[in-house]
Amino acid sequence: MLLAEIADVGTDRFRGGYARHGFDRADLQLRAWFTEQAERRGLAVYTDRNGNLWAWWGEPGPGAVATGSHLDSVPGGGAFDGPLGVVSALAAVDVLRARDFVPARPIAVVVFAEEEGGRFGVPCLGSRLATGAIGPDTARGLRDPDGVSLAEAARAAGLNPAHLGRDDAALSGLRCFVELHVEQGRQLDLLPERTPVAVATSILAHGRWRLTFRGQGNHAGTTAVADRRDPMIPASSTVLAARRALAGTDARATVGRLVPTPGGTNVIPSSVDVWLDARAPSTPDTRKLVDEIVAAAREASAAEGCAVEVREESYGDAVTFDAALRDELAGLLGGVPALPTGAGHDAGILAARVPTAMLFVRNPTGVSHAPEEHAEPDDCAAGVAALASVLEHLAS
Ligand code: GLV
Ligand code: MN
Ligand code: MN
């Protein structure tokens, strides 16, 4: 299994799991590894203007069938989210080659850049840039936690940041894009059919908001309660408000990142940044959810004598995958189930421009974005076989 070859790349010694973020050392090592693997298979690899890698079987041209995923991870991420789709694509090429299949249409294996937004904050950055869902100026100005801009990181990785932006040339030739991905829930495992593979129906609307609470930095021991303007108080209220807002809904709201400044045990912070990830079945539902949480943040802020500033860092509407392609692939694979997901994917971004589908591989615990993320080897092999059949069908 090709995943074993990259198991040691970007392991996070402190938090566990992987730290592989757009254009960092681990990511560059993975990109070099992918290029080498693709070239070993006789695929011609090129890097597009946004840092996405394309490995071509056949001359790039109209009617191409693309597959792939991403190699970056969330902080402390698992081994399967992203890399499974990439290595399965390479393995599917091997399967088809072994069958002496000669594609009538070109096939591309794609690695999208910075899918998780783990470094620059915007998920699916490579596919958003390619489709125009984020403008190049906005993207160039994104900064990582150390203050390095995307423009600087891209330049250091050998890209020309002036070329970032919408890439009609890359997308207009695609007949379709199919992303294989580990399932990030337990729906498949809980189905009585016991099938290892499913197709995707839809993705929740989702976005990220940064709430900056400002108060007065001060001494933890000498500042009386009445004199405190502690931004950690409204920040914590907001975390709890996010959980309360979910009652009776099928929405999701999460605070996975909270950074106090300056960050000292004996220091009342002067400011606290809170990143809210919110998801719901539709844009109105998502907006309502976020409005409710932000109203609670403002109220708690005022009560503590603090100020709060809210910025939307990314947003994507709900996605319904191409129904005809979905049904065609489900039928081809023997009537596998069709499942919705709450996770974002490059396939969801591409769906605005190209007929797009996804294959999910069973995850026995449903855990994802954590080191315990898992798929059994037999299920991964079933995923490769399914993807090979899909590529054979679509590229014939
Ligand atoms: C990515 O996996 C996301 O859903 O945020
Ligand atoms: Mn992910
Ligand atoms: Mn992913």
Side-chain angles (χ1 to χ4, degrees):
M1 167 70 151
L2 276 173
L3 272 185
E5 289 200 12
I6 54 172
D8 291 337
V9 182
T11 48
D12 189 326
R13 282 193 296 137
F14 301 108
R15 294 174 294 192
Y18 291 102
R20 300 162 166 173
H21 308 309
F23 307 117
D24 72 2
R25 212 152 62 131
D27 189 46
L28 294 178
Q29 200 178 329
L30 291 171
R31 293 161 67 87
W33 173 84
F34 171 78
T35 302
E36 203 260 332
Q37 285 291 327
E39 286 176 348
R40 200 187 280 182
R41 288 167 171 78
L43 310 182
V45 181
Y46 99 101
T47 307
D48 71 18
R49 57 195 298 171
N50 296 307
N52 306 309
L53 298 172
W54 297 74
W56 285 96
W57 183 4
E59 277 297 307
V65 175
T67 183
S69 191
H70 60 98
L71 290 171
D72 64 307
S73 74
V74 293
F80 295 83
D81 177 355
L84 184 65
V86 175
V87 301
S88 297
L90 293 173
V93 168
D94 293 343
V95 168
L96 295 177
R97 284 258 170 77
R99 278 185 209 159
D100 293 327
F101 174 67
V102 180
R105 303 166 187 277
I107 293 178
V109 178
V110 195
V111 175
F112 285 105
E114 176 80 339
E115 190 271 352
E116 299 287 7
R119 181 169 179 190
F120 293 103
V122 174
C124 299
L125 192 51
S127 54
R128 274 183 209 262
L129 274 162
T131 55
I134 185 171
D137 287 337
T138 307
R140 277 189 283 266
L142 295 172
R143 289 190 183 271
D144 74 7
D146 296 325
V148 177
S149 71
L150 175 67
E152 289 160 348
R155 189 178 295 109
L159 295 172
N160 184 343
H163 292 169
L164 294 176
R166 189 172 159 134
D167 194 350
D168 289 337
L171 300 185
S172 61
L174 298 185
R175 177 186 185 203
C176 56
F177 175 69
V178 181
E179 179 170 358
L180 178 147
H181 206 279
V182 66
E183 202 208 335
Q184 294 173 285
R186 262 192 93 198
Q187 297 177 89
L188 198 41
D189 187 59
L190 293 173
L191 287 177
E193 295 96 301
R194 309 301 308 149
T195 63
V197 172
V199 293
T201 54
S202 58
I203 295 181
L204 293 178
H206 60 286
R208 297 179 181 188
W209 289 261
R210 177 178 180 163
L211 292 86
T212 303
F213 297 89
R214 294 185 211 283
Q216 175 60 60
N218 216 330
H219 194 293
T222 60
T223 315
V225 171
D227 295 333
R228 290 181 183 225
R229 292 194 294 120
D230 180 351
M232 188 59 84
I233 302 304
S236 334
S237 300
T238 303
V239 175
L240 298 175
R243 169 57 71 90
R244 270 198 310 274
L246 301 184
T249 74
D250 44 10
R252 317 275 150 82
T254 307
V255 174
R257 187 171 165 215
L258 184 154
V259 177
T261 299
T265 304
N266 54 351
V267 180
I268 295 169
S270 54
S271 68
V272 177
D273 283 301
V274 168
W275 282 264
L276 171 70
D277 177 307
R279 312 184 186 213
S282 70
T283 287
D285 291 344
T286 313
R287 297 287 173 205
K288 184 167 167 285
L289 172 70
V290 173
D291 287 351
E292 188 179 331
I293 297 166
V294 166
R298 291 196 195 287
E299 194 181 319
S301 236
E304 182 71 12
C306 293
V308 59
E309 184 191 334
V310 182
R311 270 166 293 167
E312 182 176 297
E313 293 199 332
S314 68
Y315 188 72
D317 205 348
V319 173
T320 302
F321 288 110
D322 188 283
L325 183 60
R326 178 198 69 210
D327 292 346
E328 185 181 334
L329 300 191
L332 176 79
L333 300 175
V336 297
L339 306 174
T341 181
H345 298 285
D346 294 305
I349 302 295
L350 254 60
R353 296 283 305 280
V354 176
T356 297
M358 291 192 74
L359 301 181
F360 290 138
V361 172
R362 179 164 53 192
N363 176 337
T365 61
V367 172
S368 187
H369 282 187
E372 294 77 15
E373 180 179 87
H374 185 68
E376 291 294 334
D378 283 352
D379 290 357
C380 294
V384 170
L387 184 59
S389 301
V390 163
L391 295 179
E392 184 174 34
H393 172 72
L394 294 172
S396 288

